């Protein structure tokens, strides 16, 4: 279903000056400390004021609340231009904020694709007007994402793109990928590839295996992903650009990445919550909300993804937030679009599946949402004096049930409706705005 006229209750307040007091501060990848006070003025982090606390606006946190640098999502879809019935930039950036993401990178598979400077500027301007999560644009690597001719990349860079990808379609041509890595090296610009050998996937609609056979559906073999991962790594070994892998989903891909790391090949890789939470077995229901690209895999793949996160082979968690209006999802499995919304459930899924199950410490989990994705963009961790105030606050004591009435996205294509989660985003600060979201 889609929910074009409904937004759950929340507050958004413009702040001039604020002192965040209490709670605990998560230093990503390092430790958790008592919050000694974070002072914000005019949308920026400032050194602690010399005024008594009584003279300031204070946001007093509970002992169960944690403060972290704002989450950043390297992989999402906002559907504008071309499909505002599924998501608008304004609604999508609010959904991102509700999930704790203060910054997001939107993919270029819009209609038309983001392969021209004017479209880049359109997306940036709409995001600025919305004043929700910050939006950075990923430009199309090739014209019309057709994989044949490079986009006008220097013009896209001048317009403001921060990475290149044909996401939703792989960069299949070896010479084009080689050239893109050279461009990446020259301009310090990440290349993000959707790894899929389409000659092997053969327009499949589900993971190839026992479930596809049982349902009689055309399957996508796991090697369709891992073979292209290997190709990209071999090109990267030669060129040494900035290579990032989108939504890694298979054990075989993890094995290839593990080998490459031992060889000293530089890369970064993300996975998404559904690839360490759901398996192909869920597809037996033929509920198109479970249809994603790449497809949900096996229990062995899930375990490999979790182990890869535990040892840093994969060190980034992205959402691949992919909203679709109900008319694209409430159809037969073979005809349904791939993707599920993901901003608002990502943190809780990771907390339950990775932290509570002892694959990652809380501080290392937060690094996968903050520090590590920022490193892909060549940026340092935030919250130093004079940095923009981008802060995420969550409460690990809160349990909450995910229902349609609580969805901020314009669409509701998710298999997690009705699930009760542990851990909840309660507040985010984005520049000079404080967002507060219901706890229950």
């Amino acid at each position: 279903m889609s929910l074009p006229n409904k937004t759950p209750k929340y507050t958004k307040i413009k702040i001039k000056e604020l002192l965040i007091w209490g709670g605990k501060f998560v230093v990503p990848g390092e430790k958790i400390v008592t919050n000694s006070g974070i002072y914000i003025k005019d949308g920026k982090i400032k050194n602690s004021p010399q005024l008594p606390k009584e003279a300031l606006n204070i946001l007093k946190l509970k002992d169960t609340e944690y403060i972290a640098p704002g989450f950043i999502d390297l992989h999402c879809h906002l559907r504008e231009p071309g499909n505002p019935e599924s998501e608008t930039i304004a609604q999508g950036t609010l959904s991102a904020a509700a999930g704790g993401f203060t910054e997001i990178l939107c993919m270029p598979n819009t209609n038309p694709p983001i392969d021209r400077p004017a479209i880049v500027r359109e997306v940036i301007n709409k995001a600025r007007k919305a004043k929700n999560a910050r939006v950075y644009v990923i430009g199309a690597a090739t014209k019309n994402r057709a994989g044949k001719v490079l986009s006008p990349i220097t013009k896209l860079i001048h317009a403001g793109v921060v990475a290149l990808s044909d996401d939703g379609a792989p960069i299949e041509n070896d010479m084009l990928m080689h050239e893109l890595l050279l461009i990446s090296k020259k301009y310090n610009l990440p290349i993000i590839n959707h790894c899929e050998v389409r000659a092997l996937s053969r327009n499949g609609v589900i993971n190839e295996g026992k479930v596809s056979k049982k349902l009689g559906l055309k399957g996508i073999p796991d090697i369709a992903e891992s073979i292209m991962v290997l190709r990209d790594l071999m090109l990267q070994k030669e060129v040494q650009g900035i290579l990032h892998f989108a939504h890694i989903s298979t054990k075989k891909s993890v094995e290839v990445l593990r080998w490459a790391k031992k060889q000293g090949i530089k890369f970064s890789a993300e996975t998404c919550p559904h690839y360490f939470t759901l398996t192909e077995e869920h597809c037996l229901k033929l509920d198109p909300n479970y249809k994603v690209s790449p497809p949900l895999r096996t229990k062995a793949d899930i375990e490999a993804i979790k182990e890869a996160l535990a040892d840093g082979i994969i060190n980034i968690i992205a959402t691949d937030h992919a909203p679709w209006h109900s008319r694209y999802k409430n159809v037969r499995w073979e005809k349904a679009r791939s993707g599920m919304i993901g901003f608002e459930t990502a943190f809780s899924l990771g907390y339950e599946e990775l932290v509570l199950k002892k694959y990652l410490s809380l501080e290392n989990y937060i690094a996968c949402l903050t520090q590590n994705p920022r490193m892909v963009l060549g940026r340092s961790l935030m919250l130093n004096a004079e940095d923009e105030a981008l802060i995420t606050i969550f409460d690990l004591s809160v349990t909450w049930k995910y229902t349609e009435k609580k969805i901020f996205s314009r669409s509701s294509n998710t298999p997690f409706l009705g699930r009760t989660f542990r851990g909840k985003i309660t507040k985010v600060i984005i520049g000079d705005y404080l967002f507060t979201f219901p706890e229950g």
Side-chain angles (χ1 to χ4, degrees):
M1 296 179 62
S2 291
L3 311 169
N5 300 311
K6 179 203 73 66
T7 300
K9 291 182 179 179
Y10 75 105
T11 61
K12 178 181 179 181
I13 302 171
K14 191 166 186 178
I15 52 174
K16 175 73 174 176
E17 182 181 41
L18 184 70
L19 180 66
I20 304 175
W21 194 257
K24 302 178 183 69
F25 185 81
V26 182
V27 182
E30 295 184 20
K31 57 187 176 181
I32 299 172
V33 298
T34 300
N35 172 35
S36 58
I38 298 174
Y39 179 49
I40 300 166
K41 186 174 183 180
D42 298 323
K44 292 187 176 181
I45 303 294
K46 299 289 184 178
N47 291 323
S48 296
Q50 300 302 312
L51 299 172
K53 292 197 298 293
E54 292 76 15
L56 299 172
N57 292 316
I58 298 178
L59 177 61
K60 181 69 171 66
L61 302 183
K62 298 185 294 184
D63 290 342
T64 54
E65 286 186 294
Y66 291 76
I67 307 160
F71 300 169
I72 180 168
D73 186 2
L74 292 186
H75 187 153
C76 72
H77 305 270
L78 296 180
R79 301 299 182 220
E80 278 196 298
N83 195 355
E85 63 181 349
S86 294
E87 191 79 288
T88 62
I89 290 170
Q91 201 77 18
T93 53
L94 178 58
S95 175
F101 294 96
T102 60
E103 301 168 283
I104 57 177
L105 276 64
C106 62
M107 284 293 181
N109 57 338
T110 49
N111 185 23
I114 306 176
D115 61 359
R116 300 192 298 279
I119 304 175
V120 176
R121 290 191 287 268
E122 176 187 347
V123 172
I124 290 173
N125 289 336
K126 284 187 176 182
R128 286 175 177 166
K129 184 177 180 181
K131 293 183 172 62
N132 296 321
R134 301 283 185 258
V135 173
Y136 304 101
V137 179
I138 300 172
T142 67
K143 288 184 180 180
N144 204 36
R145 297 176 47 254
K148 296 179 180 179
V149 180
L150 292 180
S151 296
I153 289 173
T154 55
K155 292 181 180 180
L156 292 177
I157 292 171
H158 291 148
V161 303
V162 299
L164 296 171
S165 179
D166 278 352
D167 184 59
I171 300 164
E172 292 185 287
N173 185 287
D174 299 341
M175 289 302 297
L176 273 182
M177 188 63 183
H178 185 268
E179 189 172 353
L180 282 165
L181 288 170
L182 287 171
I183 291 168
S184 164
K185 186 175 183 178
K186 179 179 179 180
Y187 292 103
N188 200 35
L189 194 73
I191 305 299
I192 304 173
N193 200 9
H194 169 117
C195 289
E196 179 185 349
V197 179
R198 287 188 287 195
L200 291 170
S201 60
R202 306 182 305 277
N203 298 314
V205 294
I206 194 171
N207 184 57
E208 184 178 271
K210 62 180 182 180
V211 173
S212 67
K213 292 176 182 177
K214 184 172 184 177
L215 294 174
L217 296 174
K218 188 175 291 185
I220 300 172
D222 56 5
I223 58 170
E225 178 179 287
S226 57
I227 287 175
M228 188 167 282
V229 170
L230 179 59
R231 181 211 66 172
D232 287 356
L233 287 166
M234 296 310 294
L235 290 171
Q236 169 69 350
K237 184 177 182 180
E238 178 75 19
V239 177
Q240 299 183 47
I242 303 174
L243 174 64
H244 179 72
F245 292 106
H247 44 48
I248 293 295
S249 69
T250 75
K251 180 179 180 180
K252 289 175 183 174
S253 293
V254 168
E255 291 169 349
V256 174
L257 293 175
R258 201 178 298 280
W259 167 84
K261 189 167 186 178
K262 290 179 181 178
Q263 300 300 309
I265 303 173
K266 293 184 179 180
F267 65 89
S268 57
E270 71 187 43
T271 193
C272 310
H274 40 281
Y275 296 122
F276 56 74
T277 306
L278 304 172
T279 74
E280 63 177 4
E281 300 287 340
H282 290 90
C283 301
L284 287 168
K285 305 173 185 178
L286 284 179
D287 176 353
N289 285 321
Y290 290 98
K291 186 180 179 183
V292 288
S293 178
L296 299 178
R297 308 289 190 176
T298 67
K299 291 180 181 178
D301 292 307
I302 277 189
E303 186 60 28
I305 295 293
K306 289 181 176 181
E307 290 174 357
L309 285 162
D311 58 24
I313 298 299
I314 298 173
N315 67 346
I316 293 163
I317 295 171
T319 68
D320 198 3
H321 174 81
W324 287 117
H325 187 275
S326 58
R327 69 188 182 96
Y328 298 113
K329 275 292 191 180
N330 290 351
V331 294
R332 286 192 307 124
W333 180 279
E334 298 93 320
K335 298 293 184 181
R337 299 286 179 91
S338 294
M340 64 177 70
I341 58 173
F343 286 141
E344 300 167 44
T345 54
F347 170 75
S348 299
L349 284 168
Y351 176 62
E352 289 186 359
E353 298 295 330
L354 301 174
V355 178
L356 293 181
K357 294 183 180 180
K358 308 298 184 183
Y359 288 91
L360 291 173
S361 65
L362 180 61
E363 50 268 40
N364 285 341
Y365 173 50
I366 295 301
C368 292
L369 297 166
T370 58
Q371 173 178 284
N372 300 343
R374 284 193 172 95
M375 289 174 64
V376 175
L377 301 175
R379 293 164 51 188
S380 61
L381 194 61
M382 308 291 284
L383 302 191
N384 296 313
E386 299 305 319
D387 282 340
E388 184 178 23
L390 298 171
I391 295 171
T392 298
I393 299 171
F394 53 89
D395 191 334
L396 297 183
S397 71
V398 171
T399 58
W400 60 288
K401 189 173 183 179
Y402 191 44
T403 64
E404 287 191 7
K405 292 182 179 180
K406 295 178 181 178
I407 295 176
F408 285 86
S409 173
R410 197 173 184 88
S411 292
S412 60
N413 53 304
T414 171
F416 296 112
L417 285 177
R419 176 164 169 165
T420 298
F421 290 102
R422 293 181 61 180
K424 178 77 167 58
I425 304 300
T426 54
K427 305 170 187 70
V428 296
I429 294 170
I430 302 174
D432 53 1
Y433 284 93
L434 166 64
F435 296 74
T436 303
F437 300 100
E439 293 186 5

